[in-house]
Amino acid sequence: MNPALLLIGISFFAALALGIRARRGHAMTLEQWSVGGRGFGTVLVFVLMAGEIYTTFTFLGGSGWAYGKGAPAFYILCYGTLAYGMSYFLLPVIWRYANAHALVSQADFFVRKYESEALGVIVSLVSVAAMIPYLVLQLKGLGIIVSEASVGAISAGPAVWAGSVVLVIYVVVSGVRGSAWTAVLKDILILAVALVLGIYLPAQLHGGYGAMFADINRAHPGFLILPRTGMSPAWFISTVVLTALGFYMWPHTFGSCYTARNENVFRRNAVVMPLYQLVLLFVFFTGFAALLEVPGLTGTSVDLSLLRVTEHAFGPWMLGVVGAAGLLTALVPGSMLLMSACTILSKNVYAKLTPREIPEARVTRLARALVPVVALVSVLLTLRGGSTLVLLLLAAYNVVTQLFPALMLCLPNRPIATRQGAIAGILAGEATVAALTLTGATMGSLFPSWPPVITDLNVGIIAMLVNVVVLFVVSGLTGRPHRSLQTSP
Amino acid sequence: MRWYRWLAVVPAIGMLGGVPFANRVTPYVLGLPFLLFWVTAWVVLTSVIMWIIYVLDRAREPRGERERP
């Protein structure tokens, strides 16, 4: 067995052991399984939230886009930062309400605020639909890591199957406590790996950052700025804004904010987390260093650039360490996504659509039974292939961001939207996203004669506008919000 | 309304509003092409601004209501 695969195997069993250890002594009710008993302190919440944010996407996708596209990759650095600023005001409000009403899931929040079970089911289905491409992204990352670490001995297809089996075992064994402890391990590893690669490679291969960027600018003029058309500043700004709005709409991010002990945790996080984003710089540096060192990767294989340059510069042992860190960056968010999707399907869709009362033990059992099913669907989608990691994430964001208007408008004590308005807005937004995605439309194809400032905008803007307009019109037509909504805290 | 909380919109305006003007390679700052330096600087400034808001918020809260970390 080659050293890289050996190290990756060891890290998997370490993660599994942490998961089993964390589980001991806890009764596994559904709330325990998905919210960790609401007892996490600052450090653990910090790590847990960071754990979700540092995914295969940032690690392989971020370096891949720096390698393949150059400056447009910088958008990844911006949207999280702006979302953290927003979180200072948003999360305490959500947390306070969720805590007062003992809510477990994101859908619960909408159900309670709008007093509409139907809206809860819609939000649940939307969020699962958004989580699938995000999960596909993690599996794709796992597949890339395993197949690169084996130096081609295991091809991408079987590697994806292996990766998803690993993920399913991990989720069934550990639940959210496992995610938290593995997140601690993962954060230390990913930080070390990103710094070592991002500092050593540019210094060793080019003699420093300045020299590296000068080399790149010479070899690929225009690569370090946004192009005048296409991924232009207009694209950049609209993409950052849309993605930042969607940042906390993910059910797993939303749900994990319930785990905090008090609301000050979020305020402190909003101060510290932007600095954590700076790790991304080193991920970019690695992608840029790879550009001149291992040239020739195109299309979806740009996602391999980080692993290729590691292998090229350090050999199989270091590839193993990086692969191990990569495995954990896929396992932690992957397990969170898989678990959330199954819990939602069981508790917020199945149990709500069944007229009679279902005992909680059965809902928990169903959630667990769904884990391999959802994983299987994701594997099949992963094997169809065709998109880079970044494009997968952008697609997922277009779906999930549609929840933003309905959420914002229910936060005040007197909600601004009615339940009919919220439902109509979300459905109209998602229908637009589906239509745009299926036809492959862009602003350029919709409005060919308009100036580039308009045609380069992220096409998700259209769906968002449709959503907001429908929401306000229907809310206006259906009159004042429900009386008891105005008195809820 | 606590007026200083409007400071939170400054990073969004600075970071994104500046992109069309900062979209250039030179001058290199700390080895970074100018555009990358610009967004990086705003990441750090976001943290600073949120810290200022946090400190001012804490100062306004009555002592008894402060929670221990």
Side-chain angles (χ1 to χ4, degrees):
Chain A
M1 190 179 224
N2 81 41
L5 277 182
L6 184 71
L7 285 173
I8 290 170
I10 291 173
S11 77
F12 169 62
F13 284 106
L16 208 57
L18 279 173
I20 294 169
R21 221 183 126 235
R23 186 189 175 199
R24 206 184 294 147
H26 290 285
M28 294 288 278
T29 63
L30 191 60
E31 198 178 43
Q32 275 287 345
W33 196 46
S34 62
V35 192
R38 271 176 231 278
F40 292 152
T42 316
V43 174
L44 215 48
V45 169
F46 178 84
V47 171
L48 197 60
M49 299 191 92
E52 289 149 38
I53 290 147
Y54 287 88
T55 69
T56 320
F57 162 71
T58 37
F59 195 53
L60 299 181
S63 54
W65 251 39
Y67 177 100
K69 302 248 189 259
F74 302 160
Y75 102 87
I76 301 166
L77 191 59
C78 298
Y79 77 86
T81 306
L82 296 184
Y84 293 131
M86 190 171 75
S87 79
Y88 186 97
F89 308 100
L90 182 64
L91 296 189
V93 179
I94 294 174
W95 179 86
R96 231 175 289 146
Y97 189 83
N99 208 39
H101 295 88
L103 305 181
V104 179
S105 69
Q106 180 187 33
D108 294 346
F109 193 90
F110 285 88
V111 168
R112 193 88 195 202
K113 275 283 190 180
Y114 284 107
E115 294 187 324
S116 166
E117 296 285 354
L119 179 58
V121 172
I122 290 169
V123 167
S124 302
L125 290 174
V126 165
S127 59
V128 171
M131 278 192 280
I132 298 290
Y134 208 168
L135 195 56
V136 166
L137 189 161
Q138 310 300 336
L139 291 179
K140 211 169 169 136
L142 277 175
I144 287 171
I145 290 162
V146 173
S147 115
E148 282 293 296
S150 71
V151 203
I154 305 174
S155 67
V160 168
W161 284 104
S164 49
V165 168
V166 162
L167 187 64
V168 168
I169 294 173
Y170 181 74
V171 170
V172 170
V173 167
S174 60
V176 81
R177 288 267 171 192
S179 299
W181 289 115
T182 315
V184 175
L185 180 67
K186 157 191 170 277
D187 272 22
I188 295 166
L189 252 182
I190 188 96
L191 204 60
V193 163
L195 292 179
V196 166
L197 294 181
I199 292 170
Y200 178 85
L201 290 176
Q204 183 61 23
L205 302 174
H206 298 274
Y209 299 128
M212 176 176 78
F213 285 117
D215 287 349
I216 290 173
N217 198 38
R218 213 169 304 121
H220 304 272
F223 197 69
L224 299 172
I225 55 170
L226 299 169
R228 201 166 309 149
T229 58
M231 289 179 167
S232 66
W235 170 86
F236 189 91
I237 293 168
S238 57
T239 301
V240 169
V241 169
L242 279 176
T243 320
L245 296 183
F247 196 82
Y248 285 104
M249 295 307 112
W250 292 99
H252 54 287
T253 322
F254 203 96
S256 76
C257 98
Y258 293 179
T259 59
R261 194 174 283 153
N262 63 52
E263 56 191 87
N264 251 328
V265 169
F266 306 119
R267 304 222 163 99
R268 276 191 296 266
N269 276 353
V271 175
V272 182
M273 293 300 277
L275 295 179
Y276 212 97
Q277 292 281 97
L278 295 176
V279 178
L280 284 172
L281 275 180
F282 296 93
V283 174
F284 293 155
F285 293 156
T286 309
F288 283 125
L291 178 61
L292 297 181
E293 201 56 26
V294 286
L297 299 173
T298 53
T300 58
S301 47
V302 296
D303 293 329
L304 307 179
S305 62
L306 184 139
L307 296 170
R308 281 284 161 85
V309 75
T310 304
E311 222 266 320
H312 180 85
F314 296 96
W317 282 99
M318 187 62 182
L319 180 63
V321 174
V322 174
L327 175 89
L328 296 179
T329 58
L331 271 187
V332 175
S335 64
M336 192 77 81
L337 287 162
L338 190 51
M339 203 176 63
S340 307
C342 296
T343 309
I344 288 168
L345 285 176
S346 159
K347 193 182 158 102
N348 300 100
V349 178
Y350 171 74
K352 298 292 185 214
L353 292 179
T354 315
R356 64 207 150 68
E357 196 68 22
I358 297 171
E360 200 191 305
R362 230 178 98 207
V363 177
T364 311
R365 261 205 319 279
L366 178 65
R368 281 192 183 220
L370 281 172
V371 167
V373 179
V374 174
L376 186 67
V377 171
S378 307
V379 168
L380 295 176
L381 287 172
T382 308
L383 295 179
R384 286 185 50 208
S387 293
T388 60
L389 298 175
V390 174
L391 289 178
L392 273 172
L393 191 79
L394 286 172
Y397 260 104
N398 271 339
V399 175
V400 84
T401 306
Q402 300 303 324
L403 299 178
F404 185 80
L407 175 76
M408 287 311 280
L409 295 176
C410 80
L411 289 181
N413 288 341
R414 293 164 57 98
I416 295 157
T418 63
R419 71 178 70 122
Q420 294 87 341
I423 290 173
I426 291 172
L427 291 180
E430 298 300 353
T432 314
V433 168
L436 293 173
T437 311
L438 291 177
T439 58
T442 62
M443 294 295 272
S445 69
L446 294 173
F447 306 103
S449 58
W450 291 30
V453 177
I454 304 291
T455 55
D456 290 342
L457 289 175
N458 186 316
V459 75
I461 294 259
I462 297 267
M464 189 53 103
L465 282 176
V466 169
N467 181 337
V468 172
V469 169
V470 170
L471 189 155
F472 275 107
V473 168
V474 175
S475 287
L477 292 176
T478 48
R480 305 286 308 155
H482 196 276
R483 182 182 45 82
S484 61
L485 283 181
Q486 298 174 15
T487 54
S488 58
Chain B
M1 184 59 199
R2 305 172 185 183
W3 61 269
Y4 56 82
R5 285 188 160 194
W6 286 103
L7 283 174
V9 303
V10 172
I13 295 169
M15 181 187 277
L16 296 181
V19 161
F21 310 100
N23 191 23
R24 45 190 296 161
V25 178
T26 53
Y28 289 91
V29 185
L30 303 170
L32 304 180
F34 192 75
L35 178 65
L36 183 56
F37 164 75
W38 178 263
V39 294
T40 305
W42 277 106
V43 172
V44 176
L45 285 172
T46 303
S47 185
V48 171
I49 288 170
M50 295 320 292
W51 179 75
I52 292 170
I53 295 175
Y54 179 67
V55 168
L56 291 174
D57 267 352
R58 296 290 294 225
R60 287 173 66 120
E61 280 167 22
R63 204 159 269 283
E65 277 180 31
R66 289 195 193 177
E67 290 152 290
R68 296 313 313 158

